[in-house]
Amino acid sequence: MSEEQTTPTSRSRRAVLIGVPVLAVGGLVAWRAKGDREDLAASFTNEAAIAEFAPGSRGEPLTLAGPALQEGAAPVDVAGYRGSVVVLNLWGSWCAPCRAEAPMLRDTASAYAERGVSFLGVNVSDSPAAARAFERTYAITYPSLDDSVQQQAFLALREFVPSSAVPSTLVLDREGRVAARVIGQISASTLTALLDAALAEAPGAPA
């Protein structure tokens, strides 16, 4: 693999945004922009756009809170997950890629629970009834924030996720900062690679 090709968990954290294609190998295209975000590495595949952020450039912890989708559950606040690596998945039952990735997310959440990883869904626009039916269909047990009324999630995540990007998945480090982002359907191999990288970091790790 060329050193210019960027992949999940790559040591190279150069700026890579939509711009001029600099490398194409098979189904993968890496992009480099002239911007000043030297912290970002990304690869665009047939399935998803993947980006990783170096620890020293992640900025402030993510702020996102709202009502829980599950009936009778306490409100959801991402700040309550500090100290854990978090997978934040934006989804909707009407979204075919969301349905395709749901079983994998469920299984990965179970596999990584004992390693200190928490999963949190965000229902972006479904009615609560439709969203709960989706979770029953795929036996999703981790909590989801119901953003169908307030629709604050995309506003809170606008630095990382375009408003039409469903599904999207963010991996938060133990301090609640965005360590990685996947726009589009995420594969099991990508998610586990990103989680293993986040778990390997010491809390407060420098760039």
Side-chain angles (χ1 to χ4, degrees), residues 68-162:
L69 175 63
Q70 293 74 18
E71 293 182 288
V76 174
D77 190 341
V78 172
Y81 292 82
R82 300 281 164 77
S84 298
V85 171
V86 176
V87 175
L88 186 66
N89 178 254
L90 281 69
W91 62 272
S93 66
W94 41 265
C95 160
C98 300
R99 296 193 294 270
E101 70 183 10
M104 181 277 295
L105 291 170
R106 176 199 64 214
D107 293 346
T108 306
S110 177
Y112 276 77
E114 294 185 358
R115 297 182 62 185
V117 176
S118 298
F119 278 59
L120 177 63
V122 180
N123 167 39
V124 294
S125 62
D126 273 344
S127 69
R132 290 172 191 144
F134 174 93
E135 292 199 328
R136 288 194 298 272
T137 297
Y138 294 101
I140 303 298
T141 58
Y142 54 80
S144 278
L145 185 155
D146 182 16
D147 200 44
S148 60
V149 176
Q150 297 181 0
Q151 296 190 333
Q152 295 297 304
F154 282 123
L155 180 62
L157 303 174
R158 63 189 181 276
E159 180 180 352
F160 303 99
V161 180

Side-chain angles (χ1 to χ4, degrees), residues 6-44:
T6 57
T7 57
T9 72
S10 168
R11 292 177 182 270
S12 172
R13 311 272 182 180
R14 292 182 289 265
V16 187
L17 300 171
I18 294 176
V20 180
V22 296
L23 178 69
V25 179
L28 184 146
V29 178
W31 304 77
R32 179 179 297 165
K34 295 181 180 179
D36 56 4
R37 293 298 302 272
E38 294 299 328
D39 58 304
L40 177 63
S43 62
F44 288 71

